[in-house]
Amino acid sequence: MNLVLLGPPGSGKGTQAKRLQERLGIVQLSTGEMLRAEVAAGSEIGRTADTLMKAGHLVPDSIIIDIMDKRLDQADCAPGFILDGFPRTVPQATALEVMLDAKKLKLDVVVSIEVDDEAMIARISGRYSCAKCGAGYHDLFQLPKVSGVCDTCGGVEFVRRKDDNAETVRERLKAYHAQTKPIIAFYDERGLVKRVDGMGPIDEVTEKVQSVIDKQAMS
Ligand code: AMP
């Protein structure tokens, strides 16, 4: 199963992609995580991306398309993949189509997680993750069971993304509406989009996403 998870920043697509990765046994490909790794490594791509990401702007299509083209050739993608944060513009969606054709692959479904902008700002501003295993938490909505200790791995250090502040989030939402939302129409034309209400609790959204995917797998 090859799928795309679409949704504005804070819609929970990263969390849902991680859960699907475990349930379906296929790899999550997050361009945001790939770029953050480049930034941490201090590479040339990382230096270009860092400034743009901190400002809430998108990284140029050419960089992202090249990263993804190479990533999709790796062996762990053969059983299927979950695209998280890619494509984010119509040129990226077009490039993905060409790329998949050349690799004799196709998308099975595009899941669009639909949410409300103002709620997204509150959600993103409070989120953080375990520095050791990456498990996600939130100041208001998802605290660890024992304060200061990661439920998943027992880690005691936590990190917040540099671009998870209200000002940058507003820019990221603007970029989403101007550049990413039009790809829903692009995939609607191809009959691939399934819409899921992303406003409920995380577990409920997971069930809805899973049910859409199960139906798709049976069709
Ligand atoms: P994310 O982790 O998906 O929220 O992405 C964090 C940031 O990385 C975005 O705000 C962009 O600056 C950059 N980014 C991630 N994926 C893409 C993409 N497909 N195209 C352009 N920029 C991206």
Side-chain angles (χ1 to χ4, degrees):
M1 162 93 44
N2 302 327
L3 59 111
V4 173
L5 269 189
L6 273 183
S11 59
K13 69 183 160 44
T15 304
Q16 299 300 341
K18 282 201 167 58
R19 290 183 172 200
L20 286 176
Q21 169 169 260
E22 276 178 26
R23 286 189 180 198
L24 304 174
I26 55 177
V27 70
Q28 170 204 14
L29 303 178
S30 156
T31 40
E33 282 176 11
M34 292 173 202
L35 291 170
R36 283 186 284 282
E38 295 283 347
V39 172
S43 69
E44 201 182 321
I45 289 178
R47 284 195 294 277
T48 308
D50 195 28
T51 320
L52 292 164
M53 289 167 80
K54 276 188 198 142
H57 298 151
L58 295 185
V59 171
D61 288 337
S62 56
I63 294 181
I64 298 287
I65 291 165
D66 193 42
I67 291 179
M68 198 46 92
D69 194 15
K70 292 188 182 115
R71 184 64 186 87
L72 285 169
D73 286 337
Q74 290 179 18
D76 60 347
C77 296
F81 48 81
I82 304 155
L83 299 181
D84 162 17
F86 175 86
R88 236 175 172 105
T89 63
V90 172
Q92 288 181 22
T94 308
L96 175 63
E97 203 163 60
V98 173
M99 204 185 280
L100 291 179
D101 261 359
K103 297 180 201 299
K104 307 224 173 335
L105 295 171
K106 66 174 183 56
L107 290 178
D108 296 296
V109 63
V110 173
V111 180
S112 171
I113 303 181
E114 317 241 309
V115 289
D116 171 272
D117 270 16
E118 283 310 309
M120 288 315 94
I121 294 170
R123 260 200 205 176
I124 295 189
S125 306
R127 71 184 185 182
Y128 62 97
S129 59
C130 171
K132 203 166 145 199
C133 73
Y137 296 98
H138 193 283
D139 292 328
L140 300 177
F141 312 127
Q142 206 190 351
L143 289 162
K145 290 192 186 89
V146 177
S147 172
V149 182
C150 175
D151 297 343
T152 309
C153 75
V156 291
E157 273 182 50
F158 295 87
V159 286
R160 283 178 200 265
R161 279 171 49 173
K162 286 186 234 165
D163 57 353
D164 277 352
N165 60 76
E167 198 187 329
T168 308
V169 172
R170 277 182 213 283
E171 285 306 314
R172 288 162 64 198
L173 281 170
K174 262 194 229 161
Y176 175 79
H177 286 291
Q179 291 164 278
T180 307
K181 220 171 167 195
I183 69 179
I184 297 181
F186 175 96
Y187 285 126
D188 259 335
E189 277 170 26
R190 287 151 179 79
L192 285 172
V193 183
K194 301 285 176 209
R195 290 169 170 78
V196 166
D197 177 4
M199 290 304 294
I202 297 174
D203 289 347
E204 235 173 63
V205 180
T206 304
E207 290 318 310
K208 287 180 188 160
V209 172
Q210 185 71 50
S211 129
V212 154
I213 290 168
D214 289 348
K215 276 192 201 132
Q216 190 61 32
M218 284 187 291
S219 67

